[in-house]
Amino acid sequence: MAKFLIVEARFYAQLNDMLIAGAKAAIEAAGHEADVLTVPGALEVPGAIGLAAESGDYDGFVAIGVVIRGETYHFEIVAGESARAIMALTMDGIPIGNGILTVENEAQALVRADSNQKDKGGEAAKAALALYDLAVRFDR
């Protein structure tokens, strides 16, 4: 049994709860277990994953959060830089599923977070599980 860490940027509590529920369900359905770690925002998610990966306590990770476009350029920075940093960690061989939603409004986020609709938390966990399986296959 593998152990996964779900790292959430706790900004939109209701949406995050839905994303986490989807991620946990996918991980548990695969026969693994998951812990949850909360960080202030999406920009802190990759750093937390990097620190946790160094600990060796986890086999894979799921990044969870919601970034909603506002009136300033801040959306582009948060969305782009968090995704870039997660991809950099993934390229270093860390199994990560990126479930940080980047949307125009809360209605779009709700559809994507709901496990009965788009279930992006579950999809991110399935991506992490697939990368974990590859890491095992390639003996990493």
Side-chain angles (χ1 to χ4, degrees):
M1 176 179 1
K3 192 168 186 180
F4 287 78
L5 181 63
I6 300 168
V7 179
E8 68 151 336
R10 190 81 177 169
F11 202 79
Y12 297 98
Q14 175 193 2
L15 296 168
N16 275 25
D17 289 344
M18 296 168 78
L19 289 164
I20 291 168
K24 279 186 172 182
I27 291 166
E28 291 169 1
H32 303 297
E33 61 182 63
D35 291 335
V36 177
L37 175 68
T38 300
V39 297
L43 290 174
E44 290 76 39
V45 170
I49 290 173
L51 291 169
E54 287 177 11
S55 77
D57 293 340
Y58 296 95
D59 301 296
F61 303 88
V62 181
I64 294 292
V66 179
V67 182
I68 298 176
R69 185 181 301 276
E71 297 177 5
T72 68
Y73 185 69
H74 186 69
F75 171 87
E76 283 81 7
I77 293 169
V78 174
E81 289 302 310
S82 62
R84 182 200 57 76
I86 289 168
M87 183 57 69
L89 291 168
T90 302
M91 295 303 295
D92 286 340
I94 300 171
I96 305 170
N98 187 352
I100 297 177
L101 304 181
T102 51
V103 296
E104 297 293 328
N105 54 56
E106 195 167 340
Q108 288 178 347
L110 184 59
V111 169
R112 285 156 181 78
D114 187 345
S115 61
N116 294 314
Q117 295 185 61
K118 295 206 179 252
D119 192 22
K120 294 300 182 179
E123 285 185 16
K126 289 175 184 173
L129 289 160
L131 289 172
Y132 165 74
D133 289 342
L134 284 175
V136 170
R137 177 180 171 190
F138 294 120
D139 202 27
R140 297 242 336 155

